Structure formats: structure tokens, C-alpha cells
């Protein structure tokens, strides 16, 4: 049996078994550790009995305290943890050194009367069994804690490595590490220990990995070499390198980091994407540099030379460029006609607010990217609101597989989950096609996802007349919210061809082809919980771009419909994927992809077809219950 996140959780369902208690200045048993309060803002936790973790109580609305394991090593690093002042939302494990049981944890900026001193406890185990109703069935999530961008995506020796922006000390943004999961089929993900931890140089921001087949960097042919941005107030944003000789399990940071700093002191200079440019046998690095992308080259992965920049004034204006990628693909499958697509994630700039992924098509001559279209042309990789920081796996010859983060910076920190926050969207294969004089990317769920199909219902064709809805009352018995719908339809004689995913609580997602407006629409206004930000209080000080504070414009940001372009053709195909907290559409072979979060109070289990201003024909309808 394959190891999956869900059965790993079961294996880890050990409970918080061994608790040694609390002590110090507070009342309670004096076993395991003592507290030494030095004034109101500095406390030393003296651990006197061996335990694997100090379990720290977190209250998400608290300000950050600084927690550090004191070993005397200059590498000792403070982690920002929102220790509970008044109530404990959940615990996070703070790992202690194995061995004698002697350790000191220094905690700053957490007042003496805070609740956390009473609640913290020693334990040899940490319970990662799922507690979140909205945890997806078949989308990747971290076992606990916060996740944003996919990082360092690389395929090697039969394994897909998914590293990701990770906070192991709370389910809101902070303490950027690279978390790590691995998969053999892009469907079942096995959680692995953190690959790169925040250090004294800074947070470990986003980046990429390559397999160094030719041993350019000197760590051995076939080593994985990863690039990330080290980000701190002290050093700014600088590009660093690390390598792994054990198939991506553990990394050694380069002792001479950074490998690249901005020549003009730019503040926003991050997310290095490295790839091999075969025609000139050299490495290329793309770095997002405020409102453009900068290109560098290298022979040894360590010394980088500036080549060019692209993007100033291109696409949605103004917007912050983040997380670049660039891929070369055959147009319409023609290997003799290849084009490059430069993927540029922007925040803000999404058509519907917040973050989104745009791309530019054109040529790359080894030095410079030139765009085929005018600067004002905008092409979207996805037309939903929850598709961001999308980058591709390296080392997947013959295939380009992209992995989005399924959220939006407007509200990512306050979505109604708690044990974890954020999932990845489905991995998708990118292809290129031409339409008229222009070239576009199509995005389709990877074919491996078909292995999720557990039960199939093939429905006979039918016609949907205006005013006469066709309803399938029960999609599946025991439907836990994970299903796929495949439809082909002819809609020449209607104005609106629509369907609704509904549950028993009057919540629904409406998906419709608006023929007049030329739009495919997904409406989540009545999808379930849409006002989750209502009670959120912005924190006074935020570590990164005031992102949590910016999340408070919640209702308009979340309760809305998104749309993508619909061609004038009569016939269309639609694939719909639903999971606990998301609905994704793929129209006409992935020409339009649309990814949106939803939080229904119970799974959608009814399907209703409706038509306005005419009738349409459903030529085929396949329903699949999905499961891991
Ligand atoms: C994109 C991003 C990146 C940065 C990372 C920090 O979502 O802002 O530019 O490296 O998140 O977590």
C-alpha cells in the first residue's frame, strides 16, 4: 500500500501521550522544566527531563514572541511564535535536542501573565491526526502549520519533490522554511521533515531546484542543487544556494552564500528560478526584481552574470512580479515550432483582486526574452481567484508540470481552517496552442489524477429546456465532497447554459456558460462560509508586506464570481473537480482553467442543470467519486 498523507496521519495518531507538566513561577506540578522570568519580556525555560518536544500553545491573534533554543552556537535562530496570551488555539511542536534532557529555550516579548506559561508542556509525540473539516481529500496540504508557494519543484529517480513555503510554528505566515513532501505519482504525497529551516541570515523564501547532472557545482553528478531567497531586514533579499546528496532529504547550505545580490540595492529581489539552457550549455537564473524579471547566467551555479531584464510595463500594471518560471514548448505539438512562455506571478493584479498568474509568450535567445505581443496584452494561466505562485517541476523531459498554491494573499491567512492553512491546487500539465495569430498555454490536470476515480456513473444524454431544470438529486451515496464531473454539451441555441453544485443547506456554486457575454462563470457568492474574515483583527505589526492586515476586506474579496473567456463555438467540454474546500474548472481541453476555494457547510451532493433563453443538450455526462 502506498503511503499517503491521510494514512500517515493515522499512523501518527498517537495522541499527545507523554506530558511532563509545567512548573516555574506558575502554580502546578514542578516536573520536566522550570520557568525563569527575567522581567516581563524575557523568560528562560530550563528543561530538566528528556523529551522530544516542547509543545507551545499558539493564539493566532497574539503578537509574535521570539523563541530560541539556546545552544551557544552562533546559528541559534529566533522563531516568531504567537504564544497564547488569553486562549490556546492549538499547539505547535518545538523540537528539543535528543539526549540528556538538558536544554534552555529563551522566549522574548511574551508577558509574564500570558496563558502560555501554564499551557506549555513537554511531550515525546505530536498529534498530527486531521482536525480540519475542510482538509482536502486529494490535494496536497501540510500536516500542520502554514503553507504558501510551491518551491524547488524537481523530479529525480522516480520521485516528485514538492518543497513549499512553510511555517512549522503556526498556521499564519511567518518563519519561512522549505517544507517537503514527496510523491511517485503526483497524487499520493508523503510528508517529510523540513528541508531548509529559517536561519540567522533570514527567512527561506521561494526558489527552485535543479538536478546537476554534469556536476557544474562540484557536489557530485546528480546532486540536487536548490536556490532560494534569504530575506531579512538586515540583509534584504539575496539569492542563496544549498545542495543535497541524499535525493532531496537533507540539504547543506553553501558556506559562501549569498550567490547573488541586487546590483542596485533593490528591495524586492527574490524567487530565483534556475534552468539549463542546452544550446549554450549554461545555467540561467531568473529573479523577480520588483516590476520586472532579471536574467543571469552561470557555468558553475555559484557565479552569476547579469544578462538582461524583461517586463517593465508588460501585462497588468502596476504589479509586483513574483515567482518566475520559463518553459519551452512545441506549439500545437509541433516539435519544429517551439516557443517560450515566461510565467509571471503578480500580486496584486488579479482580475478579481489580489494574486494571480499571468504569462508572456515569445522567444529566448539565451540572453534575452522577447515577447510576441504588445505590452498591454495579458494572458492568464488560470481565471479563478485561488491560483498563485505557480511554477513548474524541473527535470521532467517531455512534460511541463505546474503546481499552483491554491489561495490568494487577500485572505490566505484567515481562511476557516486552523490546523493547516492552504493547499496546493491540482498539478497540471501545460501545453501550447495557437489561436488566430496568437499563442496560449493550456492547463490540464495531470493524467495521473484519473487514478483517483473510485466510482463512475455514466448518464444518458439529455436536453435542458429553459424553466425546466434537470436535477440529479444524489451525486454519490457517502459523498465526502471529492468528485469529478465530465460534461460535453452543445449550446448553440441558448443564452445561458448552467449547472449548480448544491448541498442540503441551500449552499451552491453556480457554473455557467454565458453565451451572450462570451464568458464562463463560476459564482461562489452562496457557496457556504464566505464571511470568515468578519471577526479577524489585523495585527499591529506584520512581518511581511502587511499581508494579514490587508486581509480584512473580506466579504468583497471572497464572495464573488470569477469568469474566463468563452469561445463562440457551439460545443464545449467541461471538467469539474471538487474537493472539501475547492472547485476547479477546465474548459475545452484546458484553454480556460479556473480555480476557486469554497467552504460549504456540508459537501455539495446535488447537481442541477438549467438553461436561460433557449435549450442546450448534454451529450455526455460522467460522474466520478474520487478517493485516494
Ligand atoms: C509569493 C511570495 C514570494 C516570496 C514568498 C514569501 O507568494 O511573496 O515572492 O518568496 O511568497 O513567503
Amino acid at each position: 500500500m502506498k503511503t499517503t498523507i491521510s494514512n500517515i496521519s493515522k499512523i501518527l495518531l498517537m495522541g499527545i501521550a507523554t506530558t511532563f507538566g509545567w512548573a516555574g513561577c506558575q502554580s502546578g506540578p514542578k516536573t520536566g522544566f522550570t520557568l525563569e522570568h527575567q522581567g516581563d519580556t524575557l523568560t528562560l525555560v530550563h528543561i530538566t527531563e528528556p523529551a522530544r518536544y516542547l509543545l507551545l500553545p499558539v493564539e493566532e491573534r497574539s503578537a509574535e514572541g521570539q523563541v530560541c533554543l539556546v545552544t551557544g552556537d552562533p546559528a541559534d535562530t529566533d522563531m516568531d511564535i504567537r504564544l497564547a496570551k488569553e486562549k490556546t488555539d492549538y499547539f505547535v511542536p518545538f523540537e528539543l535536542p535528543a539526549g540528556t534532557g538538558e536544554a534552555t529555550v529563551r522566549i522574548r516579548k511574551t508577558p509574564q501573565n500570558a496563558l502560555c506559561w501554564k499551557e506549555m508542556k513537554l511531550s515525546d509525540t505530536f498529534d498530527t491526526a486531521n482536525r480540519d473539516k475542510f482538509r482536502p481529500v486529494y490535494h496536497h496540504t501540510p500536516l500542520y502549520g502554514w503553507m504558501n508557494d510551491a518551491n524547488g519543484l524537481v523530479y529525480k529517480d522516480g520521485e516528485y519533490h514538492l518543497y513549499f513555503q512553510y511555517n512549522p510554528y503556526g498556521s499564519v505566515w511567518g518563519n519561512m522554511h522549505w517544507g517537503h513532501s514527496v510523491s511517485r505519482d503526483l497524487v499520493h504525497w508523503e510528508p517529510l521533515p523540513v528541508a531548509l529551516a529559517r536561519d540567522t541570515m533570514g527567512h527561506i523564501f521561494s526558489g527552485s531546484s535543479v538536478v546537476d547532472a554534469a556536476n557544474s557545482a562540484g557536489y557530485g553528478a546528480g546532486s540536487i542543487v536548490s536556490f532560494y531567497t534569504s530575506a531579512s531586514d538586515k540583509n534584504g533579499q539575496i539569492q542563496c544556494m544549498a545542495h543535497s546528496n541524499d535525493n532531496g532529504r537533507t540539504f547543506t547550505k553553501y558556506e559562501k552564500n549569498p550567490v547573488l545580490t541586487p546590483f542596485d540595492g533593490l528591495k524586492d529581489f527574490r524567487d530565483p528560478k534556475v534552468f539549463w539552457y542546452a544550446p549554450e550549455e549554461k545555467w540561467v537564473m531568473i529573479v523577480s526584481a520588483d516590476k520586472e524579471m532579471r536574467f543571469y547566467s552561470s557555468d558553475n551555479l555559484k557565479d552569476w552574470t547579469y544578462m538582461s531584464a524583461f517586463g517593465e510595463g508588460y501585462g497588468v500594471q502596476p504589479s509586483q512580479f513574483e515567482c518566475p518560471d520559463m518553459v519551452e514548448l512545441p506549439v500545437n505539438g509541433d516539435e519544429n515550432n517551439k516557443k517560450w512562455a515566461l510565467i509571471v506571478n503578480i500580486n496584486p493584479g488579479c482580475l478579481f483582486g489580489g494574486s494571480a498568474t499571468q504569462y508572456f509568450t515569445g522567444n529566448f535567445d539565451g540572453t534575452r526574452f522577447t515577447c510576441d505581443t504588445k505590452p498591454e496584452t495579458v494572458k492568464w494561466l488560470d481565471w479563478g481567484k485561488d491560483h498563485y505562485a505557480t511554477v513548474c517541476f524541473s527535470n521532467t523531459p517531455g512534460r511541463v508540470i505546474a503546481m499552483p498554491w491554491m489561495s490568494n494573499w487577500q485572505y490566505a491567512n484567515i481562511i476557516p481552517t486552523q490546523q493547516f492553512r492552504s493547499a496546493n491546487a491540482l498539478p497540471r500539465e501545460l501545453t501550447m496552442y495557437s489561436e488566430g495569430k496568437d499563442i496560449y498555454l493550456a492547463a490540464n490536470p495531470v493524467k495521473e489524477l484519473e487514478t483517483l476515480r473510485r466510482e463512475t456513473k455514466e448518464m444518458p444524454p439529455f436536453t435542458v429546456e429553459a424553466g425546466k431544470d434537470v436535477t440529479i438529486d444524489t451525486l454519490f451515496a457517502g459523498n465526502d465532497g471529492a468528485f469529478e464531473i465530465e460534461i460535453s454539451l452543445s449550446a448553440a441555441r441558448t443564452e445561458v447554459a448552467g449547472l449548480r453544485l448544491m448541498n442540503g443547506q441551500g449552499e451552491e456554486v453556480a457554473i455557467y456558460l454565458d453565451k451572450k457575454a462570451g464568458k464562463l462563470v463560476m459564482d461562489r457568492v452562496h457557496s457556504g462560509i464566505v464571511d470568515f474574515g468578519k471577526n479577524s483583527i489585523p495585527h499591529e505589526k506584520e512581518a511581511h508586506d502587511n499581508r494579514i492586515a490587508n486581509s480584512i476586506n473580506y466579504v468583497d474579496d471572497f464572495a464573488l464570481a470569477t469568469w474566463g473567456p468563452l469561445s463562440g463555438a457551439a460545443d464545449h467540454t467541461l471538467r469539474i473537480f471538487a474537493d472539501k474546500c475547492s472547485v476547479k474548472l477546465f474548459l475545452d481541453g484546458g484553454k480556460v482553467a479556473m480555480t476557486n476555494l469554497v467552504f460549504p457547510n456540508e459537501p455539495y451532493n446535488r447537481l442541477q442543470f438549467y438553461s436561460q433563453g433557449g435549450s442546450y443538450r448534454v451529450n455526455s455526462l460522467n460522474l466520478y467519486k474520487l478517493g485516494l
Side-chain angles (χ1 to χ4, degrees), residues 397-417:
R399 283 179 95 181
V400 172
I401 302 164
M403 191 66 148
W405 169 48
M406 189 160 60
S407 201
N408 187 308
W409 278 117
Q410 280 184 333
Y411 44 69
N413 276 285
I414 51 170
I415 60 162
T417 63

Side-chain angles (χ1 to χ4, degrees), residues 146-151 165-166 173-174 176-178 203-207 228-229 231 237 268-272 288 320-324 345 347 355 388-390 405 409 544-545 547:
W146 164 268
M147 175 177 85
N148 56 290
D149 316 356
N151 296 152
Q165 288 287 278
Y166 183 48
W173 190 91
M176 283 299 105
H177 290 47
W178 276 21
H203 293 276
I204 312 291
F205 271 16
S206 293
Y228 60 91
T229 301
Q237 299 188 348
D268 291 295
F269 185 67
R270 57 179 180 267
D271 310 338
S288 53
Q320 177 77 52
F321 280 23
E322 297 186 320
C323 301
N345 290 279
N347 180 48
S355 8
Y388 194 55
T390 305
W405 169 48
W409 278 117
H544 186 49
D545 295 356
R547 276 172 176 168

Side-chain angles (χ1 to χ4, degrees), residues 327-385:
V327 292
E328 193 185 24
L329 280 163
V331 182
N332 304 321
D334 177 1
E335 291 292 334
N336 297 317
N337 178 22
K338 287 187 168 179
K339 281 277 178 184
W340 288 87
L342 175 63
I343 295 174
V344 176
N345 290 279
I346 52 169
N347 180 48
C350 175
L351 259 186
F352 316 105
S355 8
T357 308
Q358 59 176 355
Y359 64 93
F360 302 95
T361 51
N363 298 309
F364 181 61
D365 64 4
T367 303
R368 190 172 291 279
F369 174 79
T370 43
C371 186
D372 278 349
T373 48
K374 293 197 182 115
E376 54 272 25
T377 306
V378 178
K379 296 175 181 173
W380 297 110
L381 198 52
D382 190 283
W383 295 78
K385 225 187 140 161

Side-chain angles (χ1 to χ4, degrees), residues 133-201:
K133 147 176 180 172
F134 291 117
R135 188 185 290 271
V137 173
Y138 60 92
H139 289 75
H140 172 261
T141 52
L143 284 177
Y144 64 93
W146 164 268
M147 175 177 85
N148 56 290
D149 316 356
N151 296 152
L153 301 175
V154 62
Y155 178 73
K156 181 169 189 276
D157 296 344
E159 292 180 323
Y160 294 91
H161 294 273
L162 166 54
Y163 303 97
F164 49 88
Q165 288 287 278
Y166 183 48
N167 182 5
Y169 302 115
S171 299
V172 292
W173 190 91
N175 302 309
M176 283 299 105
H177 290 47
W178 276 21
H180 188 195
S181 293
V182 84
S183 174
R184 297 198 155 262
D185 59 3
L186 294 164
V187 178
H188 300 86
W189 294 97
E190 181 193 344
L192 291 177
V194 157
L196 290 167
R198 178 184 179 183
D199 57 32
T200 50
M201 273 178 87

